[in-house]
Amino acid sequence: MICAAYSLLNVVTRGLQMTTPTGSPQEVTQLLIDWSRGDQAALDSLMPLVYEELRRLAHRYMRRERVGHTLQTTALINEAYLRLIEQQRVQWHNRAHFFAISAQLMRRILVDHARSHTRVKRGGGVLKMSLDEAVAPSQKRAAELVALDDALQRLATIDLRKSQVVELRFFGGLSVEETAEVLKVTPMTVTRDWKTAKAWLYREMSNEA
């Protein structure tokens, strides 16, 4: 399981090409700011663009699952979308800020359902299986996500930025450049943190196993 979980991190660095979002970065940023200021018209214009951004992020994460899991991406998008529009108190700064919040939401969704999935396998309760099956399709996959999340929480107590790099790159599917923009560091710093964090997580999960 540990090697499989580590390979999930490695695969992010291969083949993640940006697709062009429906709205320009400047347009999304301005609408987010206007929404923060209480502009309902901005929210109405933003929602289709935000949904497409979420679809892109979810697709880039879920493409690492086996082919044919269309429902997985749809379920992840829909739940992330619902949680996002509930963030009424967030003072949005820019599109990068949106990326960061979206990555956090997707991490919570995926890990929460993975933990629930492993509990059900042990006979620990009843789930809404349609959504659980969508975002946590197997016990092995669920256990890998739980192990990774536990290790990330420990890493955050030691080096918060490195844990954020993993969250943004793995759960948010962000590129090195996008991650650097969110964290306000150089791409070189992100690359170095990404490499160091992966090595630390591998050691940590191996020791735990």
Side-chain angles (χ1 to χ4, degrees), residues 49 52 111 127-128 138 140 168-169:
L49 304 183
E52 287 305 312
V111 173
L127 284 178
K128 296 179 180 178
S138 70
K140 180 180 178 182
L168 291 168
R169 298 223 62 210

Side-chain angles (χ1 to χ4, degrees), residues 39 42 105 108 153 168:
D39 186 342
L105 290 176
R108 291 171 191 164
Q153 291 183 45
L168 291 168

Side-chain angles (χ1 to χ4, degrees), residues 4 17 32 55 96 147 150 154:
Q17 299 299 322
L32 284 166
R55 181 185 298 278
D150 288 343
R154 293 192 293 273

Side-chain angles (χ1 to χ4, degrees), residues 9-18 56-57 60 96 99 161 164-170 172-195 198:
L9 293 170
N10 282 328
V11 76
V12 180
T13 60
R14 302 193 301 269
L16 282 180
Q17 299 299 322
M18 290 288 292
R56 183 172 65 86
L57 291 177
R60 288 165 67 181
F99 271 134
R161 191 183 68 202
Q164 291 173 329
V165 166
V166 175
E167 182 176 66
L168 291 168
R169 298 223 62 210
F170 180 68
L174 272 64
S175 67
V176 169
E177 290 73 19
E178 289 172 324
T179 303
E181 180 185 1
V182 171
L183 298 178
K184 301 186 184 305
V185 297
T186 66
M188 183 179 296
T189 296
V190 170
T191 300
R192 183 174 61 248
D193 282 355
W194 174 243
K195 181 178 180 180
K198 286 194 299 178

Side-chain angles (χ1 to χ4, degrees), residues 52-101:
E52 287 305 312
E53 292 277 11
L54 286 175
R55 181 185 298 278
R56 183 172 65 86
L57 291 177
H59 175 70
R60 288 165 67 181
Y61 177 85
M62 299 307 292
R63 72 193 295 179
R64 301 193 291 274
E65 297 290 350
R66 66 182 176 86
V67 177
H69 280 262
T70 305
L71 179 60
Q72 289 179 344
T73 301
T74 302
L76 180 56
I77 293 167
N78 289 342
E79 185 157 347
Y81 178 78
L82 290 174
R83 293 193 188 190
L84 184 68
I85 62 177
E86 293 174 354
Q87 307 297 309
Q88 298 178 354
R89 297 183 179 180
V90 174
Q91 294 298 309
W92 298 102
H93 303 300
N94 50 36
R95 183 167 168 268
H97 188 202
F98 166 78
F99 271 134
I101 296 296

